[in-house]
Amino acid sequence: MDGQAAIYPGTFDPITNGHLDIIERAVACFPRVIVAVSQNPGKAPLLSLEERIGLVKEAVAGLDRVEVDTFEGLLVDHAARRGVGVLVKGLRVASDFEYELQMAQMNRSLTGVETVFMVATPQWSFLSSSLVKEVARFGGDITSFVPSEVARRMKEKFRGEA
Ligand code: PNS
């Protein structure tokens, strides 16, 4: 078991400043953080898996001790494959907690993996990938909510659609 690492999983469609904030704070708590990009075809992501991974890698390029990988299927199986016993999740609002609590309990029942919750910095507590996509789709300015490369990519993606 790699007692040194924690996995921060998500769809990252796309990565936002809220995700980045959690990653930076997780790195301060764990010797290594693995950002695991879920393939998640069930959610029909806007961005391809390769695009999502590329944007996450670009966003964390300046951070030491952060690795980016990907998984399909159950998160607990991926954690077991990587020999990691701790998951990190971010909580923004009370409704996040209800869903995350259920997932944390299910995941722990399946393999014993622990979940550590980090509360969102208030500045980002309203932020979600879905809202960022909606604002970008209709031509709104998302530059203060996402890394610059994400803003550029989203603009390109929705060009002509608004
Ligand atoms: O960024 P998201 O979409 O909120 O991330 C959700 C994610 C990918 C962490 C969650 O859907 C997940 O763990 N998916 C993998 C499938 C799985 O293990 N499902 C059972 C959860 S109890």
Side-chain angles (χ1 to χ4, degrees):
M1 176 69 64
D2 182 350
Q4 300 285 298
I7 287 181
Y8 178 54
T11 310
F12 302 108
D13 185 40
I15 186 167
T16 69
N17 288 348
H19 294 127
L20 210 44
D21 176 57
I22 298 289
I23 295 167
E24 285 168 355
R25 289 162 55 205
V27 165
C29 297
F30 298 94
R32 288 196 305 118
V33 172
I34 300 169
V35 182
V37 182
S38 168
Q39 303 203 5
N40 230 339
K43 276 202 174 178
L46 170 74
L47 301 172
S48 70
L49 177 66
E50 290 68 29
E51 280 182 298
R52 287 180 282 135
I53 293 172
L55 290 170
V56 173
K57 281 190 171 162
E58 163 103 20
V60 303
L63 297 175
D64 284 339
R65 298 182 286 109
V66 176
E67 179 194 334
V68 181
D69 78 358
T70 180
F71 71 103
E72 64 177 328
L74 286 179
L75 175 58
V76 292
D77 290 340
H78 183 61
R81 270 193 302 273
R82 297 293 319 252
V84 171
V86 180
L87 308 174
V88 172
K89 294 288 193 88
L91 293 177
R92 295 163 297 188
V93 290
S95 55
D96 278 352
F97 180 69
E98 279 183 31
Y99 183 49
E100 292 293 346
L101 175 68
Q102 270 188 306
M103 283 203 288
Q105 289 174 330
M106 174 58 83
N107 284 335
R108 186 156 180 266
S109 300
L110 289 170
T111 62
V113 73
E114 295 286 358
T115 300
V116 171
F117 292 114
M118 300 191 86
V119 292
T121 297
Q123 184 188 2
W124 306 125
S125 62
F126 62 92
L127 204 50
S128 69
S129 298
S130 310
L131 276 185
V132 160
K133 279 182 283 193
E134 181 159 325
V135 171
R137 184 184 299 276
F138 295 112
D141 182 7
I142 58 166
T143 50
S144 54
F145 309 134
V146 294
S148 54
E149 186 56 24
V150 173
R152 195 194 62 72
R153 184 70 195 97
M154 298 304 281
K155 202 168 179 177
E156 198 175 80
K157 194 97 191 164
F158 290 122
R159 187 167 292 149
E161 261 194 41

Short mmCIF file of all heavy atoms in Angstrom, two decimals, residues 74 76 100-113:
data_model
loop_
_atom_site.label_atom_id
_atom_site.label_comp_id
_atom_site.label_asym_id
_atom_site.label_seq_id
_atom_site.Cartn_x
_atom_site.Cartn_y
_atom_site.Cartn_z
N LEU A 74 -14.74 1.23 -11.76
CA LEU A 74 -14.86 1.69 -10.38
C LEU A 74 -13.61 2.40 -9.89
O LEU A 74 -12.49 1.92 -10.08
CB LEU A 74 -15.15 0.51 -9.45
CG LEU A 74 -16.56 -0.10 -9.50
CD1 LEU A 74 -16.64 -1.27 -8.51
CD2 LEU A 74 -17.63 0.94 -9.17
N VAL A 76 -12.68 2.63 -6.82
CA VAL A 76 -12.00 1.83 -5.79
C VAL A 76 -11.05 0.81 -6.42
O VAL A 76 -10.00 0.50 -5.85
CB VAL A 76 -12.98 1.12 -4.83
CG1 VAL A 76 -13.71 2.11 -3.95
CG2 VAL A 76 -13.93 0.20 -5.57
N GLU A 100 -21.74 12.95 -1.72
CA GLU A 100 -20.37 12.49 -1.45
C GLU A 100 -20.32 11.55 -0.25
O GLU A 100 -19.51 10.63 -0.21
CB GLU A 100 -19.44 13.68 -1.22
CG GLU A 100 -19.19 14.53 -2.45
CD GLU A 100 -18.40 13.80 -3.55
OE1 GLU A 100 -17.81 12.75 -3.27
OE2 GLU A 100 -18.40 14.30 -4.69
N LEU A 101 -21.19 11.81 0.74
CA LEU A 101 -21.24 10.92 1.91
C LEU A 101 -21.60 9.50 1.47
O LEU A 101 -20.96 8.52 1.87
CB LEU A 101 -22.26 11.46 2.92
CG LEU A 101 -22.51 10.58 4.14
CD1 LEU A 101 -21.27 10.54 5.03
CD2 LEU A 101 -23.70 11.08 4.94
N GLN A 102 -22.62 9.41 0.63
CA GLN A 102 -23.05 8.10 0.14
C GLN A 102 -21.91 7.41 -0.61
O GLN A 102 -21.66 6.22 -0.42
CB GLN A 102 -24.21 8.27 -0.84
CG GLN A 102 -25.57 8.23 -0.22
CD GLN A 102 -26.64 8.22 -1.31
OE1 GLN A 102 -26.64 9.10 -2.18
NE2 GLN A 102 -27.50 7.25 -1.27
N MET A 103 -21.25 8.18 -1.49
CA MET A 103 -20.17 7.56 -2.27
C MET A 103 -19.02 7.13 -1.37
O MET A 103 -18.44 6.06 -1.55
CB MET A 103 -19.66 8.52 -3.35
CG MET A 103 -20.59 8.62 -4.53
SD MET A 103 -19.76 9.17 -6.04
CE MET A 103 -19.49 10.88 -5.64
N ALA A 104 -18.69 7.97 -0.39
CA ALA A 104 -17.58 7.65 0.52
C ALA A 104 -17.89 6.37 1.29
O ALA A 104 -17.03 5.50 1.47
CB ALA A 104 -17.33 8.81 1.47
N GLN A 105 -19.16 6.24 1.73
CA GLN A 105 -19.52 5.04 2.50
C GLN A 105 -19.53 3.80 1.61
O GLN A 105 -19.08 2.73 2.02
CB GLN A 105 -20.88 5.27 3.17
CG GLN A 105 -20.77 6.27 4.32
CD GLN A 105 -22.10 6.64 4.93
OE1 GLN A 105 -23.13 6.64 4.26
NE2 GLN A 105 -22.10 6.98 6.20
N MET A 106 -20.05 3.97 0.39
CA MET A 106 -20.04 2.83 -0.55
C MET A 106 -18.60 2.41 -0.86
O MET A 106 -18.26 1.22 -0.79
CB MET A 106 -20.77 3.21 -1.84
CG MET A 106 -20.70 2.16 -2.92
SD MET A 106 -21.38 0.55 -2.43
CE MET A 106 -23.13 0.83 -2.71
N ASN A 107 -17.76 3.39 -1.17
CA ASN A 107 -16.38 3.08 -1.52
C ASN A 107 -15.66 2.39 -0.35
O ASN A 107 -14.93 1.43 -0.54
CB ASN A 107 -15.63 4.35 -1.93
CG ASN A 107 -16.02 4.81 -3.33
OD1 ASN A 107 -16.46 4.01 -4.15
ND2 ASN A 107 -15.88 6.09 -3.61
N ARG A 108 -15.93 2.88 0.85
CA ARG A 108 -15.27 2.27 2.02
C ARG A 108 -15.79 0.85 2.26
O ARG A 108 -15.03 -0.05 2.64
CB ARG A 108 -15.45 3.15 3.26
CG ARG A 108 -14.66 2.64 4.44
CD ARG A 108 -14.35 3.74 5.44
NE ARG A 108 -13.60 3.18 6.56
CZ ARG A 108 -14.16 2.75 7.68
NH1 ARG A 108 -15.47 2.83 7.84
NH2 ARG A 108 -13.42 2.24 8.64
N SER A 109 -17.09 0.66 2.01
CA SER A 109 -17.65 -0.70 2.17
C SER A 109 -17.04 -1.66 1.15
O SER A 109 -16.87 -2.85 1.44
CB SER A 109 -19.17 -0.70 1.93
OG SER A 109 -19.78 0.14 2.84
N LEU A 110 -16.75 -1.14 -0.06
CA LEU A 110 -16.24 -2.02 -1.11
C LEU A 110 -14.82 -2.50 -0.84
O LEU A 110 -14.54 -3.69 -0.95
CB LEU A 110 -16.30 -1.30 -2.47
CG LEU A 110 -17.70 -1.08 -3.06
CD1 LEU A 110 -17.63 -0.15 -4.28
CD2 LEU A 110 -18.35 -2.40 -3.45
N THR A 111 -13.94 -1.57 -0.47
CA THR A 111 -12.52 -1.97 -0.34
C THR A 111 -11.84 -1.43 0.91
O THR A 111 -10.65 -1.67 1.11
CB THR A 111 -11.69 -1.46 -1.55
OG1 THR A 111 -11.74 -0.04 -1.55
CG2 THR A 111 -12.19 -2.01 -2.86
N GLY A 112 -12.56 -0.62 1.68
CA GLY A 112 -11.92 -0.03 2.87
C GLY A 112 -11.20 1.28 2.56
O GLY A 112 -10.59 1.86 3.46
N VAL A 113 -11.28 1.75 1.32
CA VAL A 113 -10.60 3.00 0.98
C VAL A 113 -11.23 4.16 1.79
O VAL A 113 -12.44 4.20 1.99
CB VAL A 113 -10.68 3.26 -0.56
CG1 VAL A 113 -12.07 3.68 -1.00
CG2 VAL A 113 -9.65 4.29 -0.98
#
